[in-house]
Amino acid sequence: MKHIFSAFLRDEPRVLTRVTSLFARRGYNIDSLSVGATEERGISRMTFIAEAPEHMADQIQRQLEKLEDVLKVINHADEKFVDRELVLLKVRVSPETRLEIRMIAEDFRARNVDVGSKSYVFEVTGDEGKITAFIQQMRPFGIIETMRTGRVALSRGSNADIASQVYGGESTALEHPLSDVGVRA
Amino acid sequence: MTGSEALLKTLEAHGVRHIFGHPGGAIMPVYDALYDSPIQHILVRHEQGGGHAAEGYARVTGGLGVCMATSGPGATNLVTALADAMLDSLPILAITGNVPSPLLGTDAFQEADITGITMPITKHNFLVRNADDVSKTVAKAIAIALEGRPGPVLVDIPKDVQQAQTNAPIEQPKTKPARLEPNQAVIEKAAALIQSAKQPVLMVGGGACDAAPQILEFAKKTGIPVITTLMGLGNFPASDPQWLGMPGMHGSVASNRAISQCDVLIGLGMRFDDRVTGKTSRFAKNAQIIHIDIDTAEHNKLIPAYIAVHADSAAALEALTKHVSKLETPDWWTKLEDWKARQPKRPTWGAAEAIKMISSQLSGADIVVADVGQHQMLTAQLHPFEQPRKWLNSGGAGTMGFCLPAAMGAAVAIGSHDGGDAKGVRVIGIAGDGSSQMTIQELATLRKYDIPVKFAVINNGYLGMVRQWQEMFHSRRYSEVYLEDSNPDFPILASAYRIPGFAADNAADLEKCIRQWLEVDGPAVLEVRVPQEANVFPMVPAGKGLDEMLDDDPKFLEARELAKV
Ligand SMILES: Cc1ncc(C[n+]2csc(CCOP(=O)(O)OP(=O)(O)O)c2C)c(N)n1
Ligand SMILES: [Mg+2]
C-alpha cells in the first residue's frame, strides 16, 4: 500500500542525508520525495511516498521521528489531504500534430512554457491520476524529456494547530498519535 | 577563551571528571588546554579502548562517558565502540578533532568525514563550524546522549575552531527532563489484562536498569515470575525465588519455557532482539504482550504489542503496581518450579566450573565485565547478578575486545584507581583467549594509572563460540578458529606490562590462584586453561523457536554415558 507522509525538518547540515540514509539502511521503499522551505524560518517540509504495509508505515514514521532534526511526521493516510505534482514535459511537434497536441494540453490545463518549431515544453500540475493521464496522451507524439517534482501534500481543513504541533512548546508534537494505544487486531 | 577551553569548561560545568582519549595532530589544541584543566585524561593505547572505557563508565554510573580522538584514523578507531554504544543505548560523548575548516572536503592529511561515517551509529552528531558554537553544541550533545533512550553522540571540531577565540558564555547543564509518565487509561487496561492472566511473566531488559526497586515491588505484590534479558541481568536479584533466569539463545530452560507458554508477557525496557526471541513466529505464541518502552519506535517493530505503553520504565511500573493485586497461579508455579530445576549438565572441570569458582569469590556489589563468546554466555548464565549496573557486556553488538577497556572504564568510574569511593567494590573482567587479544594493549593503561581491574582469560584454545557453531551446524569443519598454537602465554604477557599474572589448569590450582589474583593491590591477570571442545547449553539453534531449545549438549550426555559403562 502507498502511504503519503509529510515530515518537518530542521534546516541543519546533512538533514536530508540523515533522512535518506535511514530509509536506505532500514530498507524502506521510497517512491518519491520532495523538499522545500516552509512559512517558518529554519524549518523545511518534505513530502514523501512510501510503498509499505501498514505496520511498516508506522515504523517509518516512528524511526524518522527519532532523528534529532526531524520535528514531526504526519501520515496522511490518517486524514484528508490535497496533493499535487508539477511536471515539465517536452514533446516533439510537427505541422501535422501541433493542433492536436495543443488541444490535449488545453484539456489538461497544461501551460505551454516553451514554444519551439520542433518541440513544446508543457507545465502541468495535478494529482497523480491527472499527471499519468497527461503523459499517456503525449507519449504517441514522442516525449523528448520530462522532469517531475514529486508529489507535495497538505492536509485539508484549517488545521490551525499545526504550527504548535510542530514547533510548539506545550504541544504533543513529538508524541506519536498511536503511542499509547497500541491495541492491534 | 579558545574553542578548546570552551569545550573543556563546558564539560566541567556538566560534571565530567574523566576523558578517555588519545592525542594527535588535529586535536592538539584541546590537549594543550587539557594541560591546565581539572578534568583527568586517561591515555588509552587505542581509541577503540577509549570508546569502550567510556561505555563501561556510563554503564556503571548511569551518567555520561566521554572519549576523545584525533581526526582520520583516530576518529575511525572510535567507530566500533560507537556502534556498540548505539546498540546497547549507552550515553557516550565522543569528541573528535578534524582538519582545519578550509581544508575540510579536500582529502587533507588525516581527514575523514567522521560525521558522515558515524551517522547511522550515533544518536546524533555535530560538526562545529565556529568557536562561538562550541559550548552550545557540546551542551546539546550531552543532553541528547542522556535524554529518553540514551545513546552515543559525536562532536567533531576542526582544528581552527579549537584555536579560535570566543566570548560565548559557557552553557550550564539543562535540568533533567521530567520522567515520561504513562497514559493512565492505557495503564488501567494493562493492569486489567495482567490481573486476568493465568500464566503471566515479566521480562526485563537493559532499559529498566534504573527501575530495580519498582520491579521488585511489582513482582512481590503480584507474585509474577521475572525474566531478565542479557542486558537486564541484575535488574532483579538472582537470589529471588521468582527469578527464572535469562531468555533466548542461551537462556535458561525456565525462561524459554515460560515465554513459550505464558498467556500475558510484560516486556519492560527491552526490544525483542532476535537473540532473545528466536524465530519470531514461534515467540510467546499464546501471549498477549504488554510492551513498555520509552522509545515508541520499538513498539510493534518486531513483535506486535497488544498494549503498548510509552513511558519511563520505573514510572510505568509504579503506575501498574497501584492497579494490580496478588495473582493466584499455583498451577503456573508448579510448572515453573519444575523447569527451574532443569539445569544443563556440565563437566566437573571446564570453563563453566572455572567461571563458577571465580563467581563464588565475588559479592553482589562487585562489577563483572565479560567479553564476547562462550565465556560471556557462561558468565551470564552462572554469575548470580543481584544489583543493577553491575554487569557489563556487549549485548547488542557482540564486540570482541569489549571487556578489558570497559572494565577499565568501570573501575575509573567508581574511583578505584585514585583511592576514591570504590568502597571495596571490585571490577572483574572475564574474557576469552580470542577476544582479550583484540584490545589487550589496554593492560598498559591499567598499569599507567594503577587501575585495579582483575582480568581473567578463559583459555580454551579456540574461538570457542564459532567453533561450537562449526561443530553443530558445519559438521565439525573447524575453519580458522584454532588459537592454541599461537596464543601468548598470558601471565608472561601480563608481566611484560609489569602486571602480575597467574595461571591454572585444574580446579585445585585455580582455587589458590583466584585468591592470590584477587588479593593483588592493582591490576592482575589470571589465565585459566580449560578443555578445548566444550559447548554452551542450553541452546536455541539460530532460526529456531524458543520452544525448540536443546536443554543439554547431546555430545556431553553421550560421553558421560560411555564413561559409566
Ligand atoms: C570483533 C568481532 N569479531 C568477530 C566476532 C565473532 N565471534 C563471536 S564469538 C567469537 C569467538 C570468541 O573467542 P574467545 O574470545 O576465545 O571466546 P570463547 O568463545 O572461546 O569463550 C567470535 C570470533 C565478534 N563477535 N566480534
Ligand atoms: Mg576461546
Side-chain angles (χ1 to χ4, degrees), chain B residues 374-375 432-435 458-465 483:
Chain B
Q374 293 182 315
H375 61 277
D433 47 331
S435 303
I458 307 298
N459 181 355
N460 56 12
Y462 273 103
L463 297 168
M465 187 57 94
L483 302 179

PDB file of all heavy atoms in Angstrom, chain B residues 374-375 432-435 458-465 483, ligand 2:
ATOM      1  N   GLN B 374      31.773 -17.842  24.260  1.00  0.00           N
ATOM      2  CA  GLN B 374      31.232 -18.828  25.196  1.00  0.00           C
ATOM      3  C   GLN B 374      31.369 -18.373  26.640  1.00  0.00           C
ATOM      4  O   GLN B 374      30.441 -18.520  27.444  1.00  0.00           O
ATOM      5  CB  GLN B 374      31.965 -20.165  25.009  1.00  0.00           C
ATOM      6  CG  GLN B 374      31.694 -20.834  23.678  1.00  0.00           C
ATOM      7  CD  GLN B 374      32.400 -22.175  23.574  1.00  0.00           C
ATOM      8  OE1 GLN B 374      33.578 -22.299  23.931  1.00  0.00           O
ATOM      9  NE2 GLN B 374      31.693 -23.186  23.091  1.00  0.00           N
ATOM     10  N   HIS B 375      32.529 -17.801  26.978  1.00  0.00           N
ATOM     11  CA  HIS B 375      32.759 -17.362  28.359  1.00  0.00           C
ATOM     12  C   HIS B 375      31.745 -16.294  28.758  1.00  0.00           C
ATOM     13  O   HIS B 375      31.346 -16.204  29.913  1.00  0.00           O
ATOM     14  CB  HIS B 375      34.191 -16.810  28.491  1.00  0.00           C
ATOM     15  CG  HIS B 375      34.419 -15.626  27.609  1.00  0.00           C
ATOM     16  ND1 HIS B 375      34.737 -15.736  26.284  1.00  0.00           N
ATOM     17  CD2 HIS B 375      34.295 -14.306  27.864  1.00  0.00           C
ATOM     18  CE1 HIS B 375      34.819 -14.533  25.754  1.00  0.00           C
ATOM     19  NE2 HIS B 375      34.550 -13.636  26.692  1.00  0.00           N
ATOM     20  N   GLY B 432      37.870 -14.139  26.787  1.00  0.00           N
ATOM     21  CA  GLY B 432      38.333 -15.365  26.142  1.00  0.00           C
ATOM     22  C   GLY B 432      39.737 -15.176  25.605  1.00  0.00           C
ATOM     23  O   GLY B 432      40.258 -14.055  25.572  1.00  0.00           O
ATOM     24  N   ASP B 433      40.345 -16.277  25.174  1.00  0.00           N
ATOM     25  CA  ASP B 433      41.695 -16.150  24.624  1.00  0.00           C
ATOM     26  C   ASP B 433      41.668 -15.403  23.297  1.00  0.00           C
ATOM     27  O   ASP B 433      42.636 -14.755  22.922  1.00  0.00           O
ATOM     28  CB  ASP B 433      42.367 -17.527  24.480  1.00  0.00           C
ATOM     29  CG  ASP B 433      41.476 -18.578  23.837  1.00  0.00           C
ATOM     30  OD1 ASP B 433      40.234 -18.493  23.976  1.00  0.00           O
ATOM     31  OD2 ASP B 433      42.017 -19.497  23.196  1.00  0.00           O
ATOM     32  N   GLY B 434      40.550 -15.463  22.597  1.00  0.00           N
ATOM     33  CA  GLY B 434      40.435 -14.715  21.346  1.00  0.00           C
ATOM     34  C   GLY B 434      40.121 -13.250  21.603  1.00  0.00           C
ATOM     35  O   GLY B 434      40.892 -12.354  21.229  1.00  0.00           O
ATOM     36  N   SER B 435      39.011 -13.002  22.272  1.00  0.00           N
ATOM     37  CA  SER B 435      38.537 -11.631  22.495  1.00  0.00           C
ATOM     38  C   SER B 435      39.567 -10.754  23.185  1.00  0.00           C
ATOM     39  O   SER B 435      39.762  -9.591  22.807  1.00  0.00           O
ATOM     40  CB  SER B 435      37.287 -11.654  23.365  1.00  0.00           C
ATOM     41  OG  SER B 435      36.289 -12.430  22.781  1.00  0.00           O
ATOM     42  N   ILE B 458      39.723 -16.909  29.963  1.00  0.00           N
ATOM     43  CA  ILE B 458      39.316 -18.314  29.919  1.00  0.00           C
ATOM     44  C   ILE B 458      39.850 -18.872  28.599  1.00  0.00           C
ATOM     45  O   ILE B 458      39.302 -18.605  27.519  1.00  0.00           O
ATOM     46  CB  ILE B 458      37.776 -18.452  29.979  1.00  0.00           C
ATOM     47  CG1 ILE B 458      37.191 -17.693  31.186  1.00  0.00           C
ATOM     48  CG2 ILE B 458      37.375 -19.934  30.007  1.00  0.00           C
ATOM     49  CD1 ILE B 458      37.643 -18.173  32.545  1.00  0.00           C
ATOM     50  N   ASN B 459      40.943 -19.603  28.709  1.00  0.00           N
ATOM     51  CA  ASN B 459      41.665 -20.026  27.506  1.00  0.00           C
ATOM     52  C   ASN B 459      41.242 -21.440  27.111  1.00  0.00           C
ATOM     53  O   ASN B 459      41.662 -22.416  27.706  1.00  0.00           O
ATOM     54  CB  ASN B 459      43.174 -19.955  27.782  1.00  0.00           C
ATOM     55  CG  ASN B 459      43.983 -20.355  26.559  1.00  0.00           C
ATOM     56  OD1 ASN B 459      43.428 -20.770  25.532  1.00  0.00           O
ATOM     57  ND2 ASN B 459      45.293 -20.235  26.663  1.00  0.00           N
ATOM     58  N   ASN B 460      40.405 -21.525  26.070  1.00  0.00           N
ATOM     59  CA  ASN B 460      40.011 -22.829  25.547  1.00  0.00           C
ATOM     60  C   ASN B 460      40.683 -23.119  24.211  1.00  0.00           C
ATOM     61  O   ASN B 460      40.290 -24.033  23.485  1.00  0.00           O
ATOM     62  CB  ASN B 460      38.479 -22.934  25.446  1.00  0.00           C
ATOM     63  CG  ASN B 460      37.899 -21.810  24.612  1.00  0.00           C
ATOM     64  OD1 ASN B 460      38.639 -21.091  23.942  1.00  0.00           O
ATOM     65  ND2 ASN B 460      36.597 -21.657  24.632  1.00  0.00           N
ATOM     66  N   GLY B 461      41.666 -22.284  23.864  1.00  0.00           N
ATOM     67  CA  GLY B 461      42.462 -22.556  22.670  1.00  0.00           C
ATOM     68  C   GLY B 461      41.724 -22.347  21.359  1.00  0.00           C
ATOM     69  O   GLY B 461      42.246 -22.648  20.279  1.00  0.00           O
ATOM     70  N   TYR B 462      40.536 -21.848  21.447  1.00  0.00           N
ATOM     71  CA  TYR B 462      39.719 -21.685  20.250  1.00  0.00           C
ATOM     72  C   TYR B 462      38.935 -20.387  20.302  1.00  0.00           C
ATOM     73  O   TYR B 462      38.692 -19.835  21.383  1.00  0.00           O
ATOM     74  CB  TYR B 462      38.677 -22.810  20.169  1.00  0.00           C
ATOM     75  CG  TYR B 462      39.141 -24.072  19.485  1.00  0.00           C
ATOM     76  CD1 TYR B 462      39.488 -25.187  20.239  1.00  0.00           C
ATOM     77  CD2 TYR B 462      39.210 -24.146  18.092  1.00  0.00           C
ATOM     78  CE1 TYR B 462      39.896 -26.370  19.622  1.00  0.00           C
ATOM     79  CE2 TYR B 462      39.625 -25.317  17.468  1.00  0.00           C
ATOM     80  CZ  TYR B 462      39.961 -26.424  18.235  1.00  0.00           C
ATOM     81  OH  TYR B 462      40.360 -27.574  17.621  1.00  0.00           O
ATOM     82  N   LEU B 463      38.492 -19.951  19.153  1.00  0.00           N
ATOM     83  CA  LEU B 463      37.383 -19.003  19.075  1.00  0.00           C
ATOM     84  C   LEU B 463      36.160 -19.872  19.355  1.00  0.00           C
ATOM     85  O   LEU B 463      35.486 -20.370  18.454  1.00  0.00           O
ATOM     86  CB  LEU B 463      37.313 -18.355  17.693  1.00  0.00           C
ATOM     87  CG  LEU B 463      38.549 -17.503  17.341  1.00  0.00           C
ATOM     88  CD1 LEU B 463      38.566 -17.126  15.860  1.00  0.00           C
ATOM     89  CD2 LEU B 463      38.608 -16.258  18.218  1.00  0.00           C
ATOM     90  N   GLY B 464      35.938 -20.085  20.645  1.00  0.00           N
ATOM     91  CA  GLY B 464      35.080 -21.182  21.085  1.00  0.00           C
ATOM     92  C   GLY B 464      33.661 -21.111  20.559  1.00  0.00           C
ATOM     93  O   GLY B 464      33.084 -22.128  20.149  1.00  0.00           O
ATOM     94  N   MET B 465      33.068 -19.935  20.575  1.00  0.00           N
ATOM     95  CA  MET B 465      31.679 -19.833  20.158  1.00  0.00           C
ATOM     96  C   MET B 465      31.521 -20.167  18.674  1.00  0.00           C
ATOM     97  O   MET B 465      30.571 -20.837  18.265  1.00  0.00           O
ATOM     98  CB  MET B 465      31.159 -18.416  20.455  1.00  0.00           C
ATOM     99  CG  MET B 465      29.689 -18.245  20.224  1.00  0.00           C
ATOM    100  SD  MET B 465      28.715 -19.416  21.184  1.00  0.00           S
ATOM    101  CE  MET B 465      28.345 -18.458  22.629  1.00  0.00           C
ATOM    102  N   LEU B 483      43.377 -21.389  17.997  1.00  0.00           N
ATOM    103  CA  LEU B 483      44.278 -20.352  18.513  1.00  0.00           C
ATOM    104  C   LEU B 483      45.444 -20.921  19.295  1.00  0.00           C
ATOM    105  O   LEU B 483      46.492 -20.288  19.422  1.00  0.00           O
ATOM    106  CB  LEU B 483      43.511 -19.396  19.449  1.00  0.00           C
ATOM    107  CG  LEU B 483      42.291 -18.657  18.891  1.00  0.00           C
ATOM    108  CD1 LEU B 483      41.670 -17.801  19.992  1.00  0.00           C
ATOM    109  CD2 LEU B 483      42.674 -17.781  17.703  1.00  0.00           C
TER     110      LEU B 483
HETATM  111 MG    MG C   2      38.390 -19.087  23.372  1.00  0.00          MG
END
